[in-house]
């Protein structure tokens, strides 16, 4: 059982949100007492992820521009190969397109706008922003595979 994060990159460089997501994923992995795996696509240098707690990087490449279906297939296959029980993505435009596709492929429960590490791991509960960030709620994910979308700072 692993925690898996999608570390986005642009022009071969990790985005700032990728590092935030790695720290977020590390907090979840520590809470679940497991390892953190990051998936990168078209990233030239993944070394920085290790300093944010990533134990393993699955690096791949994709020809052409962002394609949600193809990126989702890459992420889904990585999650299946690592038997990931928790997947975390950012709230970027690209992640908002691919995350539902990944959730369907993995039969995962998916909660967006998560603002912190899980409140509880059994049951799996997360705090999320609602009503255009004017309030918070606690959501529970009951599926075997859980997927969370980290809210923007």
């Amino acid at each position: 059982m692993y925690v898996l994060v999608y570390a986005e990159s642009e022009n071969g460089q990790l985005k700032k949100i990728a590092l935030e997501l790695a720290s977020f994923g590390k907090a979840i992995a520590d809470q679940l007492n497991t390892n953190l795996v990051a998936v990168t696509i078209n990233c030239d240098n993944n070394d920085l992820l290790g300093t944010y707690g990533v134990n393993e990087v699955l690096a791949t490449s994709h020809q052409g521009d962002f394609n949600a279906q193809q990126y989702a297939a890459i992420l889904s296959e990585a999650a299946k190969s690592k038997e990931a029980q928790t997947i975390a993505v950012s709230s970027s435009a690209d992640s908002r397109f691919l995350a539902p596709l990944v959730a369907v492929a993995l039969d995962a429960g998916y909660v967006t706008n998560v603002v912190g590490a899980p409140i509880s791991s059994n049951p799996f509960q997360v705090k999320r922003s609602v009503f255009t960030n004017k309030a918070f709620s606690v959501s529970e994910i009951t599926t075997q595979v859980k997927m969370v979308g980290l809210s923007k700072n």
Side-chain angles (χ1 to χ4, degrees):
M1 174 173 98
Y2 288 91
V3 173
L4 186 131
V5 297
Y6 168 50
E8 293 181 55
S9 63
E10 187 171 14
N11 298 323
Q13 301 300 313
L14 289 168
K15 291 183 178 181
K16 178 183 172 196
I17 189 67
L19 304 177
E20 291 176 25
L21 197 59
S23 292
F24 175 72
K26 179 62 174 163
I28 297 172
D30 287 348
Q31 190 173 0
L32 298 175
N33 198 29
T34 190
N35 288 327
L36 175 62
V37 176
V39 175
T40 62
I41 302 171
N42 298 334
C43 185
D44 297 334
N45 186 357
N46 297 308
D47 296 338
L48 191 55
L49 290 169
T51 62
Y52 286 83
V54 174
N55 301 102
E56 180 181 353
V57 176
L58 302 176
T60 187
S61 61
H62 174 266
Q63 298 296 323
D65 295 330
F66 172 78
N67 180 305
Q69 291 178 328
Q70 292 174 352
Y71 276 47
I74 291 168
L75 204 55
S76 298
E77 284 305 313
K80 288 176 185 175
S81 74
K82 289 294 176 181
E83 297 178 356
Q85 296 294 307
T86 307
I87 297 110
V89 297
S90 74
S91 59
S92 73
D94 289 352
S95 286
R96 286 181 184 258
F97 280 113
L98 72 85
L101 300 171
V102 173
V104 168
L106 299 174
D107 198 25
Y110 175 45
V111 175
T112 61
N113 297 326
V114 173
V115 295
I119 296 168
S120 167
S121 60
N122 192 15
F124 193 90
Q125 296 178 328
V126 291
K127 182 178 178 182
R128 63 188 296 256
S129 64
V130 294
F131 302 119
T132 320
N133 297 326
K134 291 180 174 54
F136 296 99
S137 74
V138 174
S139 296
E140 183 175 324
I141 305 174
T142 59
T143 55
Q144 183 176 354
V145 178
K146 294 137 184 70
M147 191 163 175
V148 294
L150 180 63
S151 181
K152 292 181 181 177
N153 276 343

